[in-house]
Amino acid sequence: MMHDRRTLIRNSMLLGAGMALLPQPGFAKADARAAIRKAALANKAADIKRLQDWIGLPTIAAENRNVAEGAAYMEELAKAAGFTGVRQVKTDGLPGVVGFMDNGAKHTLGIYFMYDVKQFDPAEWQSPPLEARLVDKPGWGQVVIGRGAVNQKGPEATLLAALHAMKAAGVNPPVNLVLVAEGEEEIGSPHFRQIVETPDVLAALRKTAGIFIPAGWQNANGKVDVNLGSKGIIELELIASGEKWGRGPKQDIHSSLKAMVDSPVWRLVHALNTLVTPDGNTVAIDGWFENVRKLTPREKELIAKVASAGDEAQQKAQLGVTHWIDDLPYNQALERLAQEPTVNIEGLVAGYTGPGGKTVLPGRAVAKLDLRLVPNQTRAEATQKLRAHLDARGFKDIELNVSGGYDPTETAESSRLIQAELATYRALGVEAALNPRLAGSWPGAVFTAPPVSIPAGHFGLGSGAGAHAPNEWYLVESTNPKVAGITDATMGYVEIMYQLAAGR
């Protein structure tokens, strides 16, 4: 493999490098890709501006912020990229956006977008999170910094750039496309199934060879993972209050009264302690592991390959940690990452949290949790077991409010979608490793389960980091020859369409 992968990406688009890119029935000719690349280069400034403008309009479902504006903007982006029949789909929550592109092709590809982003505190950022400034990042190149830059507006805007480049080059995409976008992913996609099961959307999705969410996850060595699944998730709040408990205060009172008044905050702490083992690392909810599927020998084999090719020290440095759980060796830590369901405390809120102290005994306490699920767990089963566990220990008064979530996702290694992803990375000289399961979550289970029942995954070149964190970034102009900037990443989306079109 050439050391300069970026050069190889460019050359393969221009020349059809390797047997995989030789013209064949239903496959693109090299000169079509060359024309598309020329258009992508000419469009680069506009592509970056499109991303910056999109970052400047955040839809934040948790805050009910820019709900109508975000959906309308997603509609306009889809129409401008060439989708037809673009419309909003109403749900019991925020609307989705769908669009279609019939190119008279043999195969159809599904594309999943989320147009919402996580909350942010501007005081934590090095530059305003909605200004989408271009800055130089040592070791990477020029990046755009802003909320949603990598999760997921940067990769999604890059896929849109591929469609704009094809349109400018006068080239029809070699596959038909179905776009499904939602505005509630960051709160657990509570109404996404309503969008997907809209009759015409469901019928279109069933015709696809699979669906993917655009991603930009190349590491500093240019390597990528091809995920065969993702953990499921439940997002929820546990609430303890004097009002529901019938003990403790119904509102904050003076802390000196703790000597004779119960504390709802301590009650919540005791309830939380029952959910995990004393070290906080293993779920202790009654019956939690009854249906958990252990890793298969093949999955362990794939994880071993990921571990041997990975850079443990670099990953620890990026995460800001010095130890894995129980001081496990890297391979076992990665196995645990793929296999273990988790109970995580996202936040604890009670009483006074401002500067200095304030001597109160709070009347209410809230724990924000996320539960990550693995095959063969389900959201419904896990929620029921959590409720039963609390009730059995005398915590019936603690409220359980589920805001969203979905089941785990699994896609066969042999599926046309996964094989097209692997073929694309091979054709572009990008080293890819099969990963049994992403520890993060996305609503892919809505696609892989009935009534849709299609393969679902992630795909993309390029890089970025800081999802859900301050200073989130996405690479637009790469100085690392192993990692794609926005134009090479654009051509990656072009290439997977041709690889899928060439599949039998």
Side-chain angles (χ1 to χ4, degrees):
M1 183 178 296
M2 294 176 61
H3 293 293
D4 187 344
R5 284 193 182 88
R6 191 166 50 157
T7 299
L8 182 53
I9 291 171
R10 289 173 177 157
N11 290 344
S12 66
M13 294 301 178
L14 291 170
L15 303 175
M19 291 299 294
L21 293 182
L22 290 177
Q24 50 185 291
F27 201 83
K29 294 182 179 180
D31 59 348
R33 291 192 296 279
I36 297 167
R37 181 176 185 84
K38 182 178 179 181
L41 287 168
N43 288 350
K44 183 163 74 170
D47 295 337
I48 294 171
K49 180 65 163 51
R50 184 182 305 112
L51 171 57
Q52 291 175 303
D53 290 345
W54 199 6
I55 289 172
L57 179 65
T59 295
I60 302 177
E63 298 175 349
N64 200 33
R65 181 173 178 180
N66 292 328
V67 171
E69 296 86 347
Y73 200 78
M74 184 67 251
E75 276 189 284
E76 292 307 311
L77 287 171
K79 291 176 182 176
F83 287 98
T84 59
V86 177
R87 72 181 195 276
Q88 293 187 30
V89 178
K90 294 186 181 300
T91 73
D92 292 336
L94 304 192
V97 174
V98 298
F100 311 90
M101 193 181 297
D102 183 354
N103 297 307
K106 177 181 178 182
H107 298 300
T108 301
L109 174 65
I111 305 296
Y112 166 86
F113 274 17
M114 49 184 279
Y115 66 82
D116 63 320
V117 299
K118 273 294 186 186
Q119 307 93 307
F120 57 86
D121 180 354
E124 299 175 340
W125 289 64
Q126 71 184 50
S127 65
L130 301 185
E131 288 191 7
R133 292 181 183 174
L134 298 176
V135 302
D136 291 328
K137 189 171 185 65
W140 294 93
Q142 190 179 63
V143 305
V144 59
I145 292 182
R147 174 53 82 226
V150 71
N151 181 26
Q152 290 297 127
K153 290 181 177 178
E156 290 169 354
T158 306
L159 188 144
L160 295 176
L163 297 176
H164 280 276
M166 291 174 131
K167 185 191 297 186
V171 177
N172 280 336
V175 292
N176 308 315
L177 297 171
V178 179
L179 174 68
V180 184
E182 67 163 321
E184 295 183 319
E185 198 282 338
E186 294 293 12
I187 59 169
S189 303
H191 305 102
F192 185 51
R193 188 172 293 276
Q194 295 177 17
I195 301 168
V196 169
E197 294 184 7
T198 300
D200 66 322
V201 179
L202 176 59
L205 286 170
R206 281 175 162 172
K207 296 177 182 178
T208 67
I211 190 166
F212 70 76
I213 176 174
W217 295 340
Q218 279 186 287
N219 66 20
N221 294 319
K223 298 177 182 178
V224 295
D225 286 343
V226 174
N227 300 306
L228 299 178
S230 300
K231 288 185 177 180
I233 190 172
I234 304 173
E235 286 201 278
L236 60 93
E237 291 181 338
L238 295 182
I239 304 171
S241 66
E243 182 177 5
K244 290 286 186 179
W245 186 19
R247 306 182 66 87
K250 293 183 179 180
Q251 66 282 321
D252 293 1
I253 61 176
H254 197 280
S255 66
S256 66
L257 297 169
K258 179 65 193 80
M260 65 177 186
V261 178
D262 292 304
S263 167
V265 182
W266 281 115
R267 182 162 180 78
L268 180 61
V269 169
H270 291 319
L272 291 171
N273 279 335
T274 73
L275 304 183
V276 293
T277 53
D279 60 7
N281 292 336
T282 303
V283 183
I285 297 170
D286 297 338
W288 196 251
F289 289 89
E290 287 176 344
N291 296 320
V292 168
R293 178 176 68 73
K294 297 294 185 181
L295 294 172
T296 66
R298 173 59 174 164
E299 288 172 332
K300 289 186 176 182
E301 176 188 349
L302 293 176
I303 291 172
K305 291 180 180 178
V306 171
S308 63
D311 189 329
E312 180 180 12
Q314 182 186 68
Q315 186 173 2
K316 284 182 174 178
Q318 287 176 339
L319 295 173
V321 302
T322 56
H323 298 272
W324 305 125
I325 279 178
D326 299 328
D327 292 319
L328 291 174
Y330 192 40
N331 184 74
Q332 292 180 33
L334 290 179
E335 286 188 359
R336 201 176 194 284
L337 184 67
Q339 178 175 284
E340 289 296 308
T342 61
V343 171
N344 177 59
I345 299 175
E346 298 176 353
L348 289 170
V349 184
Y352 178 70
T353 59
K358 185 179 182 183
T359 50
V360 295
L361 194 171
R364 186 175 187 269
V366 179
K368 295 179 180 291
L369 306 183
D370 64 67
L371 317 180
R372 301 283 174 170
L373 310 178
V374 300
N376 295 316
Q377 292 181 296
T378 68
R379 168 184 163 169
E381 170 214 355
T383 302
Q384 183 276 328
K385 286 181 175 177
L386 173 59
R387 181 72 269 173
H389 173 95
L390 292 170
D391 291 352
R393 283 156 180 76
F395 294 110
K396 292 184 178 181
D397 57 284
I398 290 184
E399 299 173 70
L400 192 166
N401 295 333
V402 175
S403 59
Y406 32 79
D407 296 344
T409 302
E410 290 192 279
T411 291
E413 180 179 344
S414 60
S415 67
R416 181 178 292 156
L417 177 70
I418 297 300
Q419 290 303 308
E421 290 186 21
L422 292 171
T424 300
Y425 289 132
R426 282 195 301 270
L428 301 180
V430 175
E431 186 175 344
L434 284 169
N435 181 40
R437 189 167 304 116
L438 181 71
S441 305
W442 73 295
V446 176
F447 301 115
T448 58
V452 188
S453 303
I454 60 174
H458 308 76
F459 174 81
L461 296 175
S463 194
H468 298 189
N471 304 319
E472 181 181 354
W473 60 272
Y474 180 70
L475 185 64
V476 294
E477 188 66 57
S478 179
T479 56
N480 182 337
K482 299 178 181 179
V483 180
I486 194 168
T487 299
D488 289 328
T490 294
M491 296 308 296
Y493 292 117
V494 171
E495 189 60 37
I496 192 172
M497 295 182 201
Y498 285 116
Q499 291 290 345
L500 190 67
R504 297 294 186 265

